[in-house]
Amino acid sequence: MFRSSTNFDKLLDKATSHLQLEPDWPTIMQICDLIRQSDVQPKGALAAIKKKMINLNPHVALYALLVLESCVKNCGTLIHDEIATKQYMEQLKELVKTSPHENVRMKILELIQAWAHAFRHSPKYRTVQDTVNIMKAEGYQFPALKESDAMFRADTAPAWADGEVCHRCRVNFSMVQRKHHCRACGQVFCAQCSSKVSTLPKFGIEKEVRVCEACYEQVNKPSAI
Ligand SMILES: O=P(O)(O)O[C@@H]1[C@H](O)[C@H](OP(=O)(O)O)[C@@H](O)[C@H](O)[C@H]1O
Ligand SMILES: [Zn+2]
Ligand SMILES: [Zn+2]
């Protein structure tokens, strides 16, 4: 886990380097993959990205906002649960108030507005729309909404369920019978019921990860001719 977060930091430094003349999309997508594969925790990733967003160099700050935008578009609820909070919205609002760079301020307003639109049917992410409404009432001028900016990929790995028994064979977990999670369905299993591994291309997971018996069959069944 530690190695991956060092790798994450290296990729983030590269993607937000002030030497970049244009967005380094391959590196940005690698960053998203690390988050989607749970190689790096969303909270830690967002904290590192925020450090770059407050960088006084506008290029670094803007590239950091592109990384943030891509993470929200590609990492699903792992990231949505972290940014659609009062605390995170307050941080963004503070940055709009304090950033000396007009293009950084406008990019943040564009993102908050796009997320509010994308989350418009998700009551649990209501705080984003509330933030837009409050900021508009306080006189902030938001850019015109581009619907295309508010489209997210739906295919991200499911959040992990918890449980005291194996989802497949119902054995009780204990000090010796350890819990394991299938990355494809997110359910909790004993070692015997989740001993297989598989790539999960539909979730952008290219490395082999632990999956349960049922998901292994599902993912690896010969596709109908
Ligand atoms: O071995 P433990 O110390 O109990 O920790 C478990 C492992 O980290 C499992 O990882 P894995 O699914 O990759 O095995 C994870 O799925 C469980 O939720 C954890 O409880
Ligand atoms: Zn089992
Ligand atoms: Zn499964």
Side-chain angles (χ1 to χ4, degrees):
M1 190 63 80
F2 174 74
R3 187 172 38 82
S4 299
S5 58
T6 312
N7 182 27
F8 174 87
D9 291 334
K10 271 199 213 114
L11 291 171
L12 183 61
D13 285 343
K14 181 166 180 273
T16 58
S17 162
H18 67 285
L19 301 174
Q20 291 281 7
L21 297 177
E22 57 185 19
D24 178 351
W25 292 116
T27 300
I28 292 175
M29 292 323 294
Q30 279 182 277
I31 288 170
C32 294
D33 288 346
L34 283 181
I35 296 170
R36 289 205 317 214
Q37 292 176 176
S38 299
D39 283 338
V40 63
Q41 291 307 310
K43 266 191 183 19
L46 286 169
I49 295 167
K50 185 188 173 229
K51 278 203 191 98
K52 299 286 187 180
M53 284 159 51
I54 59 177
N55 189 300
L56 289 180
N57 182 311
H59 297 288
V60 173
L62 270 176
Y63 284 134
L65 288 167
L66 284 188
V67 172
L68 175 64
E69 181 176 28
S70 300
C71 290
V72 173
K73 281 190 175 183
N74 294 289
C75 301
T77 54
L78 281 173
I79 290 292
H80 298 172
D81 287 351
E82 299 298 333
I83 61 140
T85 60
K86 225 172 152 21
Q87 188 217 357
Y88 195 82
M89 286 295 119
E90 279 306 315
Q91 286 178 12
L92 288 186
K93 188 175 165 187
E94 191 55 30
L95 201 45
V96 172
K97 275 161 107 174
T98 56
S99 171
H101 308 296
E102 169 71 9
N103 51 2
V104 171
R105 295 197 299 270
M106 287 314 286
K107 185 63 184 175
I108 296 172
L109 291 172
E110 174 200 307
L111 288 179
I112 300 175
Q113 185 176 235
W115 299 341
H117 182 73
F119 295 145
R120 64 192 179 285
H121 302 312
S122 313
K124 80 172 189 171
Y125 297 144
R126 174 98 216 120
T127 193
V128 183
Q129 186 58 57
D130 293 346
T131 303
V132 170
N133 296 341
I134 291 165
M135 291 179 81
K136 278 184 176 171
E138 291 174 354
Y140 289 89
Q141 298 298 316
F142 283 80
L145 173 70
K146 280 178 285 171
E147 290 260 342
S148 59
D149 281 349
M151 307 311 285
F152 294 159
R153 287 176 60 156
D155 47 359
T156 48
W160 290 3
D162 201 358
E164 294 317 310
V165 299
C166 171
H167 184 69
R168 180 167 178 266
C169 73
R170 321 309 295 173
V171 72
N172 283 300
F173 294 124
S174 65
M175 281 309 288
V176 287
Q177 188 66 265
R178 306 304 291 172
K179 292 182 183 182
H180 300 280
H181 280 88
C182 165
R183 273 59 173 173
C185 66
Q187 286 296 349
V188 64
F189 297 91
C190 70
Q192 287 76 3
C193 295
S194 59
S195 60
K196 293 189 171 75
V197 290
S198 174
T199 60
L200 297 173
K202 66 178 176 178
F203 294 145
I205 297 178
E206 302 307 334
K207 68 175 187 178
E208 294 212 313
V209 291
R210 183 190 297 275
V211 293
C212 70
E213 292 293 329
C215 289
Y216 182 80
E217 298 306 321
Q218 181 65 25
V219 171
N220 293 285
K221 71 176 186 294
S223 48
I225 301 160

